[in-house]
Amino acid sequence: LLADDHALVRRGVRLILDSEPDLTVVAEAGDGAEALGLAASERPDLVILDIAMPRMTGLQAARELARQQPDLRILILTMYDNEQYFFEALKAGANGYVLKSVADRDLVEACRAAMRDEPFLYPGAVNALIRNYLERSAQGVDPPARAITEREEEILKLVAEGHSSKEIARLLFISVKTVERHRANLLQKLGLRDRLELTRYAIRAGLIEP
């Protein structure tokens, strides 16, 4: 299952994968929420997720997929050569992290590694992992906890995309009152004043594209 909000990217990736005898793209999704639905109906062996997508990011989708289908293999395919996203991907349950800039070289190998239950990391990510481990060992500290909960992250993303509280309530199957409470908590926790500042924060956190 291939999830990316750019049809052109999906087409290119599909060409790479479908040309391999042991790989077949069974479904395509344009965002993380659609990927969840298709993963439930198609039951693929492997899901490839972009990070920045509407409604639900690839990282949010990965967390949910890992909960719903523990045996499912997950790859993150992204343009972000970014340590924060890389570590979030590992925490979300991803088997590998592949950069779009070298997808033609690495993606097939990453898919096969995932199907063998082996991790696939690009060289820069391996260096980041080792550096992070050494720093934590030297300091004897655990990594900091997430600033906001997963539900608050979902709501933050949808607010930043311009959805009203009523629309968010419908999308997440919760009450408008609950949405408003989460919004208030977000503003307080993050020290922000309004929707504009929430949107800026969501861009910096990689939840939406600028």
Side-chain angles (χ1 to χ4, degrees):
L1 168 63
L2 178 59
D4 194 295
D5 57 326
H6 296 103
L8 201 60
V9 173
R10 291 201 307 272
R11 196 173 308 138
V13 172
R14 186 170 197 143
L15 280 171
I16 294 170
L17 299 179
D18 281 346
S19 65
E20 299 296 323
D22 54 336
L23 298 169
T24 307
V25 177
V26 294
E28 294 182 24
D31 61 54
E34 192 183 351
L36 285 186
L38 285 168
S41 61
E42 300 292 331
R43 307 299 290 187
D45 300 302
L46 172 70
V47 175
I48 298 172
L49 299 165
D50 182 25
I51 287 185
M53 293 189 289
R55 291 204 292 166
M56 179 183 274
T57 69
L59 295 176
Q60 290 172 330
R63 282 197 290 267
E64 197 55 43
L65 286 167
R67 271 198 289 264
Q68 292 178 6
Q69 300 183 41
D71 294 333
L72 184 64
R73 278 78 162 196
I74 300 166
L75 283 181
I76 298 295
L77 177 64
T78 177
M79 65 180 186
Y80 296 113
D81 184 357
N82 178 302
E83 288 184 23
Q84 180 192 339
Y85 295 147
F86 163 62
F87 286 116
E88 285 291 331
L90 293 186
K91 280 196 290 183
N95 299 73
Y97 193 95
V98 182
L99 295 179
K100 286 182 179 178
S101 57
V102 288
D104 56 334
R105 186 190 73 201
D106 288 352
L107 186 57
V108 170
E109 186 187 338
C111 289
R112 289 176 180 150
M115 292 311 299
R116 294 192 302 266
D117 273 332
E118 296 171 5
F120 182 90
L121 308 173
Y122 68 99
V126 175
N127 294 339
L129 199 59
I130 293 167
R131 188 165 60 249
N132 180 267
Y133 174 80
L134 292 173
E135 285 171 1
R136 278 171 48 200
S137 296
Q139 294 164 6
V141 294
D142 290 325
R146 288 168 60 86
I148 58 177
T149 66
E150 288 177 21
R151 176 59 96 192
E152 286 168 348
E153 185 183 271
E154 287 176 334
I155 287 168
L156 169 60
K157 176 173 171 58
L158 293 168
V159 167
E161 287 178 348
H163 294 282
S164 68
S165 293
K166 193 180 287 186
E167 288 168 340
I168 295 170
R170 196 179 68 248
L171 282 167
L172 299 180
F173 304 103
I174 55 178
S175 71
V176 174
K177 199 171 176 182
T178 302
V179 174
E180 294 293 352
R181 192 176 72 244
H182 281 304
R183 281 180 71 149
N185 287 345
L186 276 166
L187 291 170
Q188 186 183 4
K189 270 187 181 182
L190 300 173
L192 304 176
R193 287 171 303 184
D194 53 29
R195 179 197 284 266
L196 181 62
E197 291 192 349
L198 281 174
T199 303
R200 285 182 187 139
Y201 181 90
I203 291 169
R204 286 200 308 275
L207 292 173
I208 63 169
E209 292 181 312

